[in-house]
Amino acid sequence: MSESAKQGEVLVRAESVSKLFSSRAGETLAVDDVSLDVRRGETVGIVGESGSGKSTLARLIMGLQPVTSGRILFEGQELSAMTGKAQHALRGKMQMVFQNPYGSLLPHYTAVGNVAEPLRLHNRGTRESRRAKALELLELVGVNPRFADLSPRQFSGGQQQRIAIARALALEPDLLVCDEPTSSLDVSIQAQILALLEELRGSLGLSCVFISHNLAVVERLADRVAVMRTGKIVEAAPTEQLFADPQDEYTKTLLAAVLPVRA
Ligand SMILES: Nc1ncnc2c1ncn2[C@@H]1O[C@H](COP(=O)(O)OP(=O)(O)OP(=O)(O)O)[C@@H](O)[C@H]1O
Ligand SMILES: [Mg+2]
């Protein structure tokens, strides 16, 4: 199929997905019968109060945690039904960017080593070609390759997030799941990282799931928005429509709460 024909086809589908956590403290239905499609080239924003299940849903989509019920389909194939080898290959097509960049990097590896690591894990190229590709990626995300051999802690938070983004791009994923990727950064740096994600998404044709508490950011980046509350998607709509004419009472409250900031 041509690239243009692929645009708009469903890349990832969550089908009636639930996640129940059981512990001595009790049971939490963190994700409750959620269905969601992410199409090729599309950015889906996920918003909702703390504890509403956004990160859990992201981890289920990524196959980082097993679903309690329901299915996650990537290009029509069910993740949990695959062999280990097929799953490993597929994992490379989905990458995640986390809130805390330092925690997501390997502290004993250099910046370039961190970016090259997924290539090594997936047996791509030689040591030299992996380093060359990692240096290119660092440049792409705006980290001067001169600093490639420094360790993560020697970089600022914004630069660390750039390194984490470069690493997420190393295997040329189709899907990037960003879970509050700028929440731990200064406001001015947040804007730079968002601009970078926006640019990369366009130039690489990535599909994105973008989780944020910041509705203004979601309004800017997302094509569609899903609103979560207590594990459920209470409303999902094209971004413009959701912000202009929210249907669900909770969405209305959520939007009203930020109006003074947006004004
Ligand atoms: N590993 C776990 N074990 C037990 N409960 C969990 C686990 N992970 C998440 N939960 C619970 O599931 C619910 C949803 O959590 P989740 O982290 O997905 O919410 P969130 O929407 O990402 O919140 P935030 O905006 O604060 O990041 C919460 O009640 C949380 O305590
Ligand atoms: Mg979260």
Side-chain angles (χ1 to χ4, degrees), residues 10-33:
V10 175
L11 181 68
V12 190
R13 164 166 290 168
E15 229 175 56
S16 299
V17 163
S18 295
K19 180 69 181 179
L20 181 71
F21 290 112
S22 304
S23 68
R24 262 180 299 176
E27 293 195 324
T28 309
L29 192 55
V31 173
D32 183 3
D33 194 20

Side-chain angles (χ1 to χ4, degrees), residues 18 20 65 74 214 222 253:
S18 295
L20 181 71
Q65 278 178 344
F74 191 92
N214 188 330
T253 314

Side-chain angles (χ1 to χ4, degrees), residues 54-55 179-180:
K54 305 180 298 294
S55 296
D179 190 356
E180 311 257 8

Side-chain angles (χ1 to χ4, degrees), residues 24 29 49 56 59 66-67 80 84 97 106 115 141 146 158 188 191-193 195 205 221 230 260:
R24 262 180 299 176
L29 192 55
E49 65 201 10
T56 305
R59 287 194 298 270
V67 298
S80 58
V97 176
L106 298 163
V115 180
V141 300
R146 242 179 349 120
S188 63
Q192 291 173 15
I193 296 292
L221 259 76
T230 57

Side-chain angles (χ1 to χ4, degrees), residues 118-158:
L119 297 166
R120 193 183 67 77
L121 285 174
H122 284 255
N123 291 318
R124 303 277 173 87
T126 61
R127 204 181 153 85
E128 290 70 36
S129 73
R130 289 195 290 266
R131 181 176 167 89
K133 167 118 191 196
L135 288 171
E136 262 173 42
L137 284 162
L138 284 173
E139 193 149 26
L140 178 73
V141 300
V143 174
N144 190 329
R146 242 179 349 120
F147 304 129
D149 292 305
L150 297 182
S151 78
R153 73 183 149 73
Q154 292 173 286
F155 292 86
S156 67

Side-chain angles (χ1 to χ4, degrees), residues 219 238-247 255:
E219 188 176 16
T239 307
E240 223 168 284
Q241 189 183 322
L242 187 113
F243 279 86
D245 187 21
Q247 298 298 306
L255 295 185

